[in-house]
Amino acid sequence: MKRTLLLAALFAVLGVSAWYVITQKKSQTGTALSPDMDFAIENTNEIGRIFLADRKGQTTTLERKKDFWLYNGKFRARPTAVNSLLETLHNIKVEYIPPNASDPELVKSLATEGIKVEVYNLENKLIKRYYVGGVTMDERGTYMIMEGSEKPYVMHIPAFIGQVRVRYMMGDDNWRDRAVFAEKPEDIQSVSVEYPKQKSLSFKLEKVEAGAYSVSPFYSTTPVIHKTIRKGVPEAYLLQFENMVSEGFETSNPARDSVVSMVPFAIVSLKNTNGTEKKVRFWPLDVETNPVTGQQYVIRYFTDLNDGEAFYLTQHRVFGPIFRGYQFFFE
């Protein structure tokens, strides 16, 4: 009887041990067992630069600035895209270890289709370098391999269902900030709004000194209004330019060339006190008609930045407040 109990206890211990080992092999959710499994970055606040490159020659460089991230040394990066990547860099974990027999094929796939990832700290010292490959059959895991390793792993973010490769996305439209205007009102020197088909409504608002503004007609043929400027109206108007975000980019839209060749509905030119300038043109896209009154309403615009620097889709409900007429500012 005692021998039977002893054997039963031994088998129980062996079973628990086997279960533990298999679990660790199949699902790594804790501390990495070896350096080539340690993909996560504990403190993303220490990241100063991220470099991504695919096998097609596309590259992405994200650099941390004082209060924003710079994309490819030229554009502000879209905050939500950067935050998604930082979250991935912090939370990425090994889901399971693929069978050794599959390693050669996976390594070959990572070499031909992988996205190279390099993460640097604030002193520009390399923290991590690894490659992001394709997804598993169930599309819940993503193959990755550390630089210098011969062993690929299936990675995931705990509690997130789906593959993470898309978070290392490539291409301008994915990374660029979608904001058309993101200006501090106190930094705006002047704003002009030109309506080519309604010239009498066109105007220029300019800062004369701190807290004082002038409003004049854009065209010399428009009679000057000599009334008093409404108190607080110029300041309230400039506040609209703090956060005007497009619906999305339309870079590859086949209609782009024909649109920009047409006369725009409005041209908004903004100059900051530091000398930087921005010119934005708008063309109505979606127009709806009120069946009762017959009045037409613009829903969306095609929008061009600086004669081809960017091409957006914008909404009237966001940008409508800046489409004022000259007389709007006066008592």
Side-chain angles (χ1 to χ4, degrees), residues 76 79 176-185 187-195 203 237-247 249 266-272 276-282 301-307 309-310 312-315 318-323:
R76 280 179 178 257
R176 286 183 63 176
D177 191 355
R178 293 175 184 170
V180 179
F181 293 110
E183 323 296 331
K184 293 180 180 179
D187 293 339
I188 299 175
Q189 178 61 41
S190 65
V191 174
S192 67
V193 181
E194 175 188 359
Y195 302 104
F203 65 90
Y237 179 76
L238 295 179
L239 280 172
Q240 305 300 324
F241 291 88
E242 276 194 303
N243 187 32
M244 309 201 83
V245 181
S246 66
E247 185 174 330
F249 287 95
I267 304 170
V268 180
S269 300
L270 184 148
K271 183 177 181 179
N272 278 314
T276 59
E277 298 184 47
K278 184 178 290 186
K279 184 175 79 171
V280 183
R281 297 181 292 171
F282 297 84
Y301 302 91
F302 278 133
T303 304
D304 172 83
L305 172 65
N306 292 339
D307 295 323
E309 187 176 299
Y312 307 98
L313 185 64
T314 57
Q315 297 182 6
V318 177
F319 288 81
I322 67 173
F323 298 138

Side-chain angles (χ1 to χ4, degrees), residues 18-19 30 37 53 63 77 81 85 102-103 113-114 119 211 233 263 265 277 310:
W19 172 84
M37 299 170 69
E63 298 174 87
L85 179 58
S102 65
D103 286 356
E113 302 176 7
V119 184
V233 171
V263 176
F265 153 69
E277 298 184 47

Side-chain angles (χ1 to χ4, degrees), residues 183-242:
E183 323 296 331
K184 293 180 180 179
E186 62 271 22
D187 293 339
I188 299 175
Q189 178 61 41
S190 65
V191 174
S192 67
V193 181
E194 175 188 359
Y195 302 104
K197 295 182 179 180
Q198 296 176 293
K199 294 186 176 183
S200 64
L201 299 179
S202 306
F203 65 90
K204 181 176 182 179
L205 186 156
E206 188 165 12
K207 180 188 290 185
V208 178
E209 58 185 46
Y213 299 88
S214 67
V215 182
S216 57
F218 184 85
Y219 294 97
S220 59
T221 54
T222 302
V224 176
I225 297 176
H226 295 287
K227 295 180 180 179
T228 303
I229 295 176
R230 290 194 290 160
K231 187 176 181 180
V233 171
E235 292 87 344
Y237 179 76
L238 295 179
L239 280 172
Q240 305 300 324
F241 291 88
E242 276 194 303

Side-chain angles (χ1 to χ4, degrees), residues 24 39 66 89 111 121 170 198 219-220 234 254 258 271 328:
Q24 291 300 304
F39 289 82
K66 184 178 179 181
L89 295 174
N121 64 16
M170 307 294 296
Q198 296 176 293
Y219 294 97
S220 59
S258 60
K271 183 177 181 179
F328 168 78

